[in-house]
Amino acid sequence: MGIAETIRGRSSGIRSRRGVDARSRLPQADVCLIVEGCYPFVPGGVSAWIDWLFRSEPDATFSVVTLWPKRGPLQPRYQLPANVVGLDLLYLQDFGAAPARHRSAGTQVQRLGDALVDFLEQGSIERFHSVTEQLKAVRSTAPLERLFNSPLAWEVIRHMYERMMPHGSFLHFFWAWRALLGGLFATVEFALPRASLYHTISTGYAGLLAARAGLETGRPVVLTEHGIYTNERRIEILMADWVADTVDKGHNLADARFDIRDMWMRAFEAYARACYGGCARITTLYDDNQRAQRFLGADPARLQVIANGIDVSRFAEVTPAGQGDRPTMALIGRVVPIKDVKTYITTASLLRERVPELRAWVLGPLDEDPGYVGECRALVDELGLAGCVEFAGAVNVVDYLSQIHVVVLSSLSESQPLVVLEAGAAGLPFVATNVGSCREILEGRPDEHPPLGAGGLVTNVVAPAEIADAVAVLLADATMRARFGQSLKARVKRYYTSEQAAAAYGKLYRDLIGNSGRAQSPSAAGGEA
Amino acid sequence: MAGIGFELRKLSGHDSIFQTLASFGHAAVVAAGPWLFTILSLAAITVLTEPIAGLAQLATFRVTVIYAFAVSLVAAAPVTIVATRLAANALWQKRAQDIPTLLIGALVLAALLAGGAALLLALSLQPPIQVAMALVACSVIVALIWVALCFAGTIRDYVGVTMSFILGLLCSVCAAIVAVLYGQQATSMVWGFNLGLAITFFSMAWRVIATFPHAVGSPLAAVGIILAGIRSYWQLAAGALLGTAGVWADKWIFWLSENGETTETGLLHAPLYDSAMFIASLVLIPSLAAFVVRLETDFFDRYQQYYATISSHGTLGQIEAARSRLARFTIENFTFITIAQVGYCAILVLTAPLIVEALNLQFRQTSILRFGGLGAVFHFIFIACSSMVLFFDRRVIYMLLQGLFLLANAGLTLYSLQAGEDYYGVGYFLACVLCGFVAYRAADVTFQRLNFLTFIGNNPSVTEAARRKVRRWPGR
């Protein structure tokens, strides 16, 4: 029986078990993992990491809360391990039920509206706490879901609009309000599963739910950010053509009037600030991410880097290609725009002028963005690179590594790419763009002692000539390749093994949960334990 | 990356706020039109043929036609109002090709319902077979007219509607007169009248079909679409049924009371009450006409301006100003028309004895005529405010208003019957007063809360949103 059937079978008996009373009968997990839009329905990436975490901590029990936009057919892509005792779905955009016939006092509207405006504009765990307290007060009259569609909500929207952007499009404000605060209300209304510790894998709504868990239960909260969620949202919102710019500021940079884009971005920043403020520990994959976390108010004393690790034994048998083999570089990854495969192809074109025998492999799935794959193939034809650039599709990378001289990563954005670690475990030198933690992995952190030396070369993004120069140097110098390969291998073994990552999370959990399992969140501002 | 799995883009895809623009508030007014047409044509035929046909024949003819109109208006009302709504939706969604299919579906269903109801009525009253056949035929044709009329209203073809009715009316009157001259039987007159009605129907249906020259699906599938629409808009269907029944409730009660008389052919009627009330109802015509004209021009402009202010990203201040303009304008015009209506009513009340004398009515009908005229003032308010409520798609309120009118008209008419002859017509008058005020309040509240209703209370994408669901999957 597959996972889907298993889950359906399980769900049939428990649909009515909603709310706190029902939850109290369910087993309490050691860790409640809160994730947004991934596990167990989206394969790869963070979901794969979560699956790894469950299997790396077999003695701990987990429950999972998955935040998802709205109802629809969902196909789980992972078998829940035995130590996962529960899985909840929280729908963010399905919020709102038949309106309550609630007519509120003006002061109530003003208090709630002011609390929400203060929170959205400045964001902090204290302001979030104030919002939850105000919501608790209005919830005493009717469920939030019914109030969300009531005249009370309308009055709150009006009040907030007048305070935040009385000059802007009300239509956009209204939908932004519904979307942003519907999600917020949904996280406030959600019946929390019981756990000794709450671990969120991003800020955003998952971070808000975790912050609320900390406030209400006094249990410790941990955040692990792979990429910086707020940055990702900011890019998405800045590039969004569906967000209308409704305030004409002309060329006046000093015009501080709020527009819809500002509202969206500020809201996600506010959510992040609340999450950072509510967390006992904030971990990320590499140092550079901490700058953004500190910028949004994360307490430096709570920051910690826990790098992802890999199983190095898989690559122990790989012998790097020799000088007599056909000169080969490889890009290992999905053929999608963010990997900037076109720059890689242009690099191959430049490099072939110096290395006529060059082979440039692209090892990775071709099915995610067929349009982009078509453009890449057209570029190969246009540059006359047939026979040089080869798209191998999804393959077992280990089978190819011993024929590769240099591995290349031309990505526009990464966090901590596993492909660098895997190439390093195989003793291959690397050329990577300066994104995510590539420089940290290839050149070592400043506090590395003793220094292990460079494991590859770092270039700018969208710089084919620069990448071609770096690869040419490595192809021409077997000694340098060997030295880089060994350095990288040593660094991966020292810092980036699966065992080390698992041990770090195990220690983190033990430190925070302690023996009693009732450790206190440093910023627990109230609520029942 | 840890991902926000939800697509921000989709959040902007809300245009359902403007669904109510696919409005059909005129349906409430249009529905009153045929009822007035009935009275006009009957009055014309009565006056013109009385010297030849004789009172008994005329009574049978008149009662048969009144039965057909009552049956078809009530039985077909749910179909016509829902079909009108579906047609307005189709036009709003720029799916003009759906209109002929909707028309055919509505025609078939309305004809079946009206024909069936008339047949049941005939079976229970058991008039002569010729009368029963004429009654069923007349009911079916009238039901077809209601449907065609509503579709013509949807495309704002008021000139076409008027011309079709005038043509039909002339033909009806002529054919009825010819039937009287040659056949001298009530049923012949009804068939002559049916001929005129059929001409009205074909004229209107032709204009609608000529406007939308698209292919039509199978009639069965078309009926299925209308039935599905009735399920979706059941409040409209129920409201229309209750509302049309409400219009006839006082007459039916009088027919069944001690004032009821039986024609030669066994059909019940109450000439004492009916003729006075029908004449009183005529004073509604100028007000309803003025109201429709205002609806179609100035009101609709401001109505569209209000939604345009929202969709063109106006500020809340601008939206509020547009709402305020719409509300003020509507109230002002409404007041103006109502004052005029009061004037018509005053004339009717003051000249009631003269009218009674001129039309050969009985003296004791004077007070019924006066109460009918007074009631018509508030009846206009009720119809106009119901129309406003429909314009803003407050379907449940519309249904409740119509239900209230039925209950009030039936209940108060029963009460006035018991109170004695001096109070005949008071029931209708009080029901109109009560329902007029309630409907006015409903329309006023709708205008006051229009912003809330537009964005939240009546916004389909908000109101139909599913509840947040949490499923729990316990582990092993």
Side-chain angles (χ1 to χ4, degrees):
Chain A
M1 187 162 64
I3 181 77
E5 287 77 13
T6 308
I7 285 176
R8 274 200 292 276
R10 287 173 185 175
S11 70
S12 61
I14 45 75
R15 274 188 187 146
S16 61
R17 296 207 288 180
R18 291 181 62 178
V20 177
D21 292 344
R23 274 165 211 288
S24 63
R25 294 197 298 274
L26 293 167
Q28 173 172 328
D30 295 323
V31 179
C32 173
L33 207 68
I34 304 172
V35 301
E36 200 172 300
C38 54
Y39 189 87
F41 307 112
V42 176
V46 174
S47 297
W49 179 87
I50 290 167
D51 188 57
W52 165 84
L53 181 69
F54 293 151
R55 294 173 200 284
S56 306
E57 306 292 337
D59 297 331
T61 55
F62 290 87
S63 65
V64 182
V65 177
T66 294
L67 279 64
W68 202 258
K70 53 174 65 176
R71 298 179 142 280
L74 287 171
Q75 181 66 40
R77 310 296 283 265
Y78 290 88
Q79 176 86 43
L80 299 186
N83 57 337
V84 175
V85 297
L87 174 62
D88 281 315
L89 268 170
L90 163 59
Y91 296 103
L92 293 173
Q93 292 170 25
D94 269 353
F95 200 69
R101 294 202 174 277
H102 172 88
R103 282 202 175 270
S104 56
T107 51
Q108 196 175 28
V109 167
Q110 194 173 342
R111 276 201 300 269
L112 176 58
D114 287 343
L116 285 166
V117 171
D118 290 345
F119 173 59
L120 288 181
E121 288 189 342
Q122 298 172 65
S124 68
I125 187 68
E126 293 78 16
R127 291 188 176 91
F128 179 57
H129 185 231
S130 166
V131 166
T132 57
E133 289 299 306
Q134 291 297 332
L135 286 175
K136 220 181 277 177
V138 297
R139 193 168 45 181
S140 61
T141 58
L144 274 188
E145 227 182 335
R146 297 189 62 202
L147 289 171
F148 191 61
N149 288 342
S150 71
L152 172 115
W154 173 251
E155 292 304 322
V156 172
I157 293 171
R158 282 174 49 131
H159 182 75
M160 291 178 68
Y161 172 82
E162 296 298 346
R163 271 199 60 184
M164 293 175 81
M165 47 175 296
H167 44 269
S169 160
F170 183 74
L171 183 63
H172 274 297
F173 181 88
F174 174 77
W175 286 121
W177 190 95
R178 298 274 308 177
L180 286 167
L181 296 193
L184 188 151
F185 287 11
T187 57
V188 170
E189 189 84 320
F190 182 70
L192 281 167
R194 295 187 304 144
S196 301
L197 178 147
Y198 294 88
H199 187 174
T200 175
I201 313 303
S202 67
T203 59
Y205 290 102
L208 272 189
L209 184 62
R212 187 197 132 207
L215 288 170
E216 287 187 8
T217 66
R219 303 297 169 101
V221 178
V222 174
L223 164 67
T224 294
E225 270 198 293
H226 288 234
I228 299 298
Y229 181 97
T230 321
N231 285 350
E232 290 159 4
R233 294 291 77 72
R234 185 180 294 119
I235 293 167
E236 195 175 359
I237 292 160
L238 283 173
M239 292 173 67
D241 53 8
W242 51 265
V243 180
D245 292 307
T246 60
V247 182
D248 183 8
K249 298 182 183 181
H251 297 294
N252 182 4
L253 296 177
D255 189 338
R257 282 181 298 166
F258 219 59
D259 205 348
I260 290 294
R261 251 178 245 279
D262 305 311
M263 181 178 164
W264 280 94
M265 290 192 288
R266 291 269 192 99
F268 285 115
E269 287 176 10
Y271 296 174
R273 286 177 189 277
C275 178
Y276 291 146
C279 284
R281 206 70 65 81
I282 300 162
T283 78
T284 186
L285 302 179
Y286 56 99
D287 283 346
D288 204 40
N289 271 351
Q290 294 182 336
R291 277 192 304 154
Q293 294 174 328
R294 282 192 296 270
F295 178 75
L296 286 175
D299 178 358
R302 299 182 206 168
L303 298 183
Q304 182 182 356
V305 168
I306 301 180
N308 281 346
I310 59 161
D311 177 10
V312 293
S313 64
R314 273 184 69 211
F315 305 93
E317 303 301 317
V318 175
T319 38
Q323 198 62 15
D325 296 328
R326 183 178 172 186
T328 302
M329 67 172 181
L331 180 150
I332 304 171
R334 297 164 296 136
V335 182
V336 290
I338 195 101
K339 302 289 181 188
D340 199 9
V341 182
K342 288 181 183 175
T343 287
Y344 176 74
I345 294 167
T346 312
T347 300
S349 171
L350 296 172
L351 198 53
R352 198 178 56 163
E353 293 170 11
R354 281 180 269 178
V355 186
E357 295 298 307
L358 177 75
R359 179 166 59 186
W361 272 333
V362 179
L363 308 178
L366 300 166
D367 53 358
E368 193 170 318
D369 189 342
Y372 186 72
V373 172
E375 291 171 24
C376 289
R377 288 189 192 279
L379 184 61
V380 168
D381 292 341
E382 186 187 332
L383 296 174
L385 293 172
C388 170
V389 175
E390 296 172 22
F391 294 91
V395 294
N396 181 4
V397 176
V398 179
D399 298 340
Y400 286 74
L401 289 176
S402 55
Q403 299 174 66
I404 297 169
H405 292 90
V406 182
V407 187
V408 177
L409 186 82
S410 53
S411 293
L412 301 171
S413 173
E414 293 283 354
S415 55
Q416 189 209 10
L418 290 179
V419 62
V420 186
L421 304 180
E422 290 170 347
L428 291 176
F430 215 99
V431 173
T433 46
N434 187 16
V435 291
S437 63
C438 287
R439 185 180 289 282
E440 193 173 293
I441 300 171
L442 293 180
E443 298 179 356
R445 289 171 59 166
D447 60 353
E448 184 176 88
H449 186 77
L452 295 169
L457 299 168
V458 179
T459 73
N460 286 308
V461 293
V462 201
E466 207 180 322
I467 300 171
D469 288 346
V471 176
V473 167
L474 284 169
L475 285 177
D477 189 340
T479 313
M480 185 189 264
R481 285 205 309 273
R483 194 174 71 242
F484 277 12
Q486 289 310 310
S487 294
L488 192 52
K489 192 171 195 168
R491 184 169 294 119
V492 170
K493 276 188 174 173
R494 190 191 285 181
Y495 299 113
Y496 298 105
T497 66
S498 181
E499 294 78 10
Q500 286 164 316
Y505 281 106
K507 181 173 184 311
L508 181 70
Y509 288 159
R510 280 192 303 278
D511 287 351
L512 291 172
I513 297 174
N515 293 326
S516 68
R518 297 184 67 82
Q520 201 70 38
S521 169
S523 56
E528 75 272 30
Chain B
M1 71 180 182
I4 184 173
F6 55 96
E7 311 83 341
L8 294 176
R9 169 177 289 274
K10 288 188 178 166
L11 299 178
S12 69
H14 298 281
D15 60 356
S16 51
I17 274 183
F18 309 109
Q19 271 187 19
T20 48
L21 259 183
S23 65
F24 64 118
H26 65 273
V29 179
V30 168
W35 162 53
L36 297 172
F37 168 78
T38 318
I39 297 160
L40 264 183
S41 50
L42 284 180
I45 292 169
T46 303
V47 171
L48 291 172
T49 59
E50 193 182 339
I52 319 165
L55 286 175
Q57 292 287 2
L58 259 179
T60 300
F61 160 72
R62 211 166 42 221
V63 173
T64 308
V65 171
I66 286 172
Y67 268 55
F69 274 71
V71 163
S72 58
L73 190 63
V74 176
V79 176
T80 49
I81 197 157
V82 170
T84 311
R85 172 64 197 239
L86 295 178
N89 286 356
L91 289 177
W92 171 245
Q93 293 162 359
K94 302 200 182 335
R95 295 182 54 84
Q97 69 272 22
D98 293 352
I99 299 288
T101 305
L102 291 172
L103 176 66
I104 295 300
L107 288 174
V108 171
L109 199 56
L112 286 174
L113 286 172
L119 200 60
L120 283 177
L121 190 68
L123 287 174
S124 65
L125 296 177
Q126 299 202 321
I129 185 75
Q130 299 92 329
V131 175
M133 283 171 63
L135 171 66
V136 172
C138 189
S139 301
V140 169
I141 298 171
V142 172
L144 297 178
I145 288 183
W146 296 165
V147 172
L149 176 69
C150 281
F151 275 78
T154 304
I155 58 170
R156 313 283 193 260
D157 182 18
Y158 294 113
V159 175
V161 167
T162 311
M163 295 309 292
S164 300
F165 269 114
I166 290 173
L167 183 68
L169 183 63
L170 287 174
C171 292
S172 284
V173 173
C174 294
I177 291 170
V178 170
V180 169
L181 290 174
Y182 291 94
Q184 294 198 353
Q185 278 188 352
T187 47
S188 312
M189 290 176 72
V190 176
W191 282 109
F193 191 70
N194 285 351
L195 178 69
L197 292 177
I199 288 169
T200 301
F201 163 66
F202 283 115
S203 168
M204 272 194 300
W206 173 76
R207 291 185 71 103
V208 174
I209 289 168
T211 310
F212 302 102
H214 303 285
V216 181
S218 86
L220 205 62
V223 168
I225 291 170
I226 302 292
L227 287 174
I230 289 176
R231 273 194 297 277
S232 301
Y233 296 108
W234 64 271
Q235 306 99 324
L236 283 183
L241 189 69
L242 294 170
T244 46
V247 166
W248 290 94
D250 55 327
K251 286 95 185 163
W252 292 338
I253 286 169
F254 265 88
W255 295 354
L256 294 169
S257 73
E258 59 189 17
N259 295 284
E261 294 175 16
T262 308
T263 63
E264 288 175 344
T265 50
L267 300 178
L268 278 168
H269 68 139
L272 176 72
Y273 186 78
D274 295 348
S275 51
M277 290 306 277
F278 287 153
I279 290 163
S281 305
L282 293 178
V283 297
L284 270 172
I285 291 176
S287 303
L288 285 178
F291 185 68
V292 169
V293 168
R294 284 292 179 182
L295 269 188
E296 290 303 317
T297 54
D298 301 334
F299 171 81
F300 202 66
D301 285 349
R302 282 165 181 78
Y303 176 79
Q304 285 185 312
Q305 273 170 20
Y306 172 72
Y307 288 102
T309 307
I310 296 171
S311 64
S312 60
H313 302 296
T315 64
L316 185 57
Q318 291 164 334
I319 294 168
E320 175 54 25
R323 183 205 66 80
S324 179
R325 272 197 303 275
L326 176 64
R328 200 174 53 244
F329 171 86
T330 309
I331 297 296
E332 279 171 6
N333 272 275
F334 183 69
T335 309
F336 175 76
I337 298 172
T338 305
I339 289 169
Q341 176 71 47
V342 170
Y344 307 136
C345 168
I347 293 169
L348 180 80
V349 169
L350 292 173
T351 59
L354 296 176
I355 296 170
V356 165
E357 197 177 329
L359 296 179
N360 284 334
L361 300 180
Q362 300 174 45
F363 176 72
R364 57 186 184 145
Q365 287 180 285
T366 311
S367 67
I368 301 175
L369 188 61
R370 283 176 167 157
F371 281 121
L374 286 169
V377 174
F378 296 93
H379 200 169
F380 164 72
I381 293 173
F382 177 74
I383 292 170
C385 291
S386 294
S387 150
M388 285 294 124
V389 165
L390 266 190
F391 248 108
F392 296 102
D393 205 25
R394 303 196 74 187
R395 303 196 287 265
V396 173
I397 302 289
Y398 172 77
M399 179 181 73
L400 293 176
L401 285 174
Q402 306 310 306
L404 176 69
F405 185 61
L406 172 61
L407 279 179
N409 199 14
L412 292 168
T413 299
L414 276 174
Y415 182 75
S416 67
L417 259 176
Q418 288 171 358
E421 197 176 311
D422 290 348
Y423 296 92
Y424 287 179
V426 171
Y428 165 77
F429 165 67
L430 289 179
C432 289
V433 171
L434 172 71
C435 296
F437 278 115
V438 173
Y440 180 83
R441 176 71 185 143
D444 187 47
V445 168
T446 298
F447 277 114
Q448 296 307 320
R449 300 177 69 206
L450 188 55
N451 291 339
F452 166 74
L453 292 169
T454 304
F455 281 92
I456 297 181
N458 223 17
N459 181 351
S461 69
V462 169
T463 54
E464 290 161 20
R467 297 173 71 91
R468 172 175 58 98
K469 275 97 184 170
V470 180
R471 282 191 293 167
R472 184 166 185 84
W473 299 330
R476 302 159 187 173

